[in-house]
Amino acid sequence: MLLLMITLTITRLSNAKECRREVKLHAAGFKPVSNHWRLEQHFSDVILSEEFLNLGVEQVCSLISSDKLTIASEEKVFEAVIAWVNHDKDVRQELMARLMEHVRLPLLSREYLVQRVEEETLVKNSSACKDYLIEAMKYHLLPTEQRALMKSTRTRMRTPVSLPKLMMVVGGQAPKAIRSVECYDFKEERWHQVAELPSRRCRAGMVYMGGLVFAVGGFNGSLRVRTVDSYDPVKDQWTSVANMQDRRSTLGAAVLNGLLYAVGGFDGSTGLSSVEAYNMKTNEWFHVAPMNTRRSSVGVGVVGGMLYAVGGYDGASRQCLSTVECYNSSTNEWTYVAEMSTRRSGAGVGVLNNLLYAVGGHDGPLVRKSVEVYDPATNTWRQVADMNMCRRNAGVCAVYGLLYVVGGDDGSCNLSTVEYYNPTTDKWTVVSSCMSTGRSYAGVTVIDKPL
Ligand SMILES: *[C@@H]1O[C@H](CO)[C@@H](O)[C@H](O)[C@H]1NC(C)=O
Ligand SMILES: *[C@@H]1O[C@H](CO)[C@@H](O)[C@H](O)[C@H]1NC(C)=O
Ligand SMILES: *[C@@H]1O[C@H](CO)[C@@H](O)[C@H](O)[C@H]1NC(C)=O
């Protein structure tokens, strides 16, 4: 059989050349090959691209019928189909039924079915599509044990292959700002070095977004910087992207609704309340509403679609902070939520199972090993088990259901150790393999291991 190859360029950053990644897609009807597998892995990125909209119907069907599609929710598949049809509506609307055969409507929520799917004109205009909708409604009405008896591929859960992960530790102070970057391979339980930062950087914000790592702002040994470097794990290469508007070190960085936020920090003379956001597509930073409080050494995390800024240091009152505020991007407003039980500046903040963790940090010279966790559903903080070591300015990330804390300093030494928290056992365990060097103020994030 003839293999029809098309080249798909995932334009996550549309214009930014360095961020284009070529993915080869094998067309419909052919056996999945590794490249096809790769495309399934990045489906959420693919559907944003012009190239997806220009695929043929066979290719789209092949992609969306795959059990291995990696998506946060089946909504993505429905939206992709609608976007693809609308791209050339006159020609494509008669293909709706053929495409919808592969959209697993029963896996969508009732609300989404009623509010979005049923209201879609393309669905209304096709009796076959309406049948698929009825099938989905029926699925929701049936008792669980009878659902299993429905003979339809559309009720089958997708089972994406989860990519192996690496934990990436970028720059930091050891004891001066450094360029070194190392990765921990969870499977091999080993550290290895990857491409160094283009320039020294510590106290930066770090995120993983659209397959790239972003090192945002920080301190280069002499100045607080507004520069941003991005790392492509596939190419093992760093490149610069647009500068922030403000200089910031000890900021918080997080991804909310596809934008990268840089929150608070220190510009060299004062603590910042300002917040800016980065759009990958336009390669531009813009200010959003500032926080209610100036916060340097702030920790941030995203839970339930809200961005939380936790503790830090308020240069005005010269106090370490116990207050916490959260940002709603649709109202562009910061609101205080429940305070922590204690003041924490330089706490490690991470999110695991929809809970926000604040790990260690300090209040004046006192470095903490205590940990508390915030539940947005109840707006309450509670204490969990202490870490093995006191740590401030450590990096935090969550992976495989565990919360990892990397390095930091205990008040006298920069630490090369890593420990993780298991919420099921409420226990901290020190990882046997240490980093090559002690670092505080390093950036830490989890990435997909390049193939
Ligand atoms: C650890 O890093 C701090 C900055 O966080 C630096 O001032 C200090 O000298 C370092 N300590 C050691 C023992 O390297
Ligand atoms: C820090 O950044 C400033 C401004 O970008 C630059 O002039 C200086 O050389 C940098 N210092 C180091 C140590 O890289
Ligand atoms: C943001 O605020 C709007 C308006 O009050 C609300 O409808 C929405 O649910 C909020 N977002 C989140 C993630 O809570």
Side-chain angles (χ1 to χ4, degrees):
M1 215 189 287
L2 198 124
L3 274 185
L4 209 176
M5 305 259 292
I6 61 163
T7 301
L8 245 187
T9 309
I10 302 176
T11 43
R12 299 205 187 83
L13 284 194
S14 68
N15 311 335
K17 226 210 248 128
E18 64 271 16
C19 296
R20 281 164 178 259
R21 180 151 307 147
E22 289 216 323
V23 175
K24 305 258 198 302
L25 165 68
H26 286 250
F30 305 109
K31 276 200 213 116
V33 293
S34 63
N35 286 326
H36 192 228
W37 179 72
R38 188 169 178 106
L39 190 70
E40 289 164 345
Q41 291 286 329
H42 294 283
F43 184 71
S44 299
D45 296 322
V46 170
I47 57 173
L48 301 174
S49 70
E50 190 69 22
E51 286 80 357
F52 171 77
L53 299 175
N54 291 326
L55 288 180
V57 65
E58 296 295 340
Q59 293 149 350
V60 175
C61 286
S62 159
L63 194 58
I64 66 175
S65 61
S66 166
D67 271 347
K68 302 283 175 234
L69 211 56
T70 304
I71 34 164
S73 121
E74 191 69 18
E75 291 177 15
K76 288 269 184 219
V77 184
F78 179 74
E79 297 298 342
V81 165
I82 300 302
W84 185 85
V85 172
N86 278 329
H87 193 64
D88 189 2
K89 196 167 169 186
D90 293 344
V91 175
R92 292 179 177 177
Q93 57 184 347
E94 64 191 37
L95 300 170
M96 263 302 277
R98 237 173 108 191
L99 294 158
M100 287 297 289
E101 182 189 342
H102 305 293
V103 181
R104 303 185 184 181
L105 289 183
L107 305 184
L108 289 162
S109 71
R110 294 169 193 228
E111 292 73 26
Y112 189 82
L113 289 170
V114 173
Q115 287 162 15
R116 177 72 185 91
V117 182
E118 200 193 0
E119 294 300 312
E120 173 58 54
T121 323
L122 290 169
V123 172
K124 283 187 176 154
N125 290 345
S126 155
S127 65
C129 290
K130 281 190 278 191
D131 287 345
Y132 292 132
L133 185 59
I134 290 168
E135 177 189 59
M137 299 294 203
K138 184 175 159 199
Y139 179 82
H140 280 277
L141 289 172
L142 284 176
T144 317
E145 60 278 7
Q146 286 183 34
R147 287 180 183 179
L149 301 174
M150 280 178 77
K151 290 266 178 290
S152 164
T153 50
R154 283 174 294 279
T155 58
R156 196 165 69 221
M157 291 297 195
R158 299 198 194 251
T159 51
V161 184
S162 68
L163 285 178
K165 307 285 182 197
L166 297 176
M167 180 161 66
M168 188 168 167
V169 183
V170 179
Q173 270 174 242
K176 280 193 168 148
I178 55 172
R179 293 176 55 197
S180 146
V181 181
E182 52 192 319
C183 284
Y184 182 71
D185 189 315
F186 293 98
K187 193 149 159 257
E188 293 170 12
E189 299 183 7
R190 269 203 327 217
W191 292 90
H192 61 271
Q193 304 283 325
V194 297
E196 289 199 330
L197 283 162
S199 56
R200 296 164 178 274
R201 203 185 277 275
C202 59
R203 310 179 200 172
M206 201 70 46
V207 301
Y208 182 57
M209 175 167 78
L212 300 170
V213 176
F214 291 84
V216 183
F219 181 61
N220 73 0
S222 57
L223 268 184
R224 278 79 196 173
V225 297
R226 52 167 70 97
T227 58
V228 181
D229 290 325
S230 103
Y231 175 77
D232 184 333
V234 175
K235 294 184 188 147
D236 189 26
Q237 216 173 63
W238 287 91
T239 40
S240 308
V241 299
N243 284 356
M244 287 186 291
Q245 310 211 356
D246 303 335
R247 301 178 180 280
R248 303 172 191 272
S249 67
T250 68
L251 63 150
V255 178
L256 174 64
N257 302 328
L259 296 176
L260 161 55
Y261 285 83
V263 179
F266 180 68
D267 67 5
S269 55
T270 118
L272 302 170
S273 58
S274 73
V275 179
E276 50 190 309
Y278 175 71
N279 184 338
M280 272 180 102
K281 294 203 181 104
T282 57
N283 191 29
E284 268 170 359
W285 287 92
F286 56 94
H287 277 107
V288 299
M291 294 181 286
N292 296 300
T293 311
R294 294 171 183 273
R295 295 175 194 270
S296 57
S297 291
V298 60
V300 300
V302 169
V303 197
M306 299 282 247
L307 171 63
Y308 290 82
V310 178
Y313 179 77
D314 172 358
S317 68
R318 298 180 179 249
Q319 291 272 20
C320 292
L321 300 165
S322 57
T323 59
V324 180
E325 48 191 310
C326 79
Y327 177 71
N328 178 331
S329 65
S330 48
T331 58
N332 190 30
E333 271 170 2
W334 287 91
T335 318
Y336 285 110
V337 297
E339 281 183 34
M340 292 183 285
S341 68
T342 182
R343 299 172 189 276
R344 295 177 195 270
S345 179
V349 171
V351 174
L352 183 61
N353 305 331
N354 294 315
L355 300 173
L356 186 73
Y357 286 79
V359 178
H362 68 107
D363 181 14
L366 177 70
V367 181
R368 300 191 186 282
K369 61 162 70 160
S370 70
V371 180
E372 50 192 311
V373 53
Y374 175 74
D375 185 349
T378 56
N379 189 29
T380 50
W381 288 90
R382 73 185 154 84
Q383 201 91 12
V384 296
D386 284 358
M387 289 184 286
N388 290 288
M389 273 163 249
C390 299
R391 295 175 195 265
R392 64 177 166 192
N393 309 318
V396 170
C397 63
V399 62
Y400 300 129
L402 303 171
L403 190 78
Y404 281 79
V405 179
V406 180
D409 74 85
D410 60 8
S412 56
C413 279
N414 296 308
L415 306 167
S416 59
T417 56
V418 174
E419 52 186 306
Y420 62 82
Y421 177 71
N422 183 337
T424 319
T425 56
D426 189 30
K427 278 211 173 72
W428 287 90
T429 308
V430 179
V431 174
S432 58
S433 173
C434 291
M435 290 184 286
S436 66
T437 174
R439 1 179 152 209
S440 56
Y441 287 115
V444 175
T445 190
V446 171
I447 66 172
D448 292 335
K449 185 176 176 174
L451 297 171

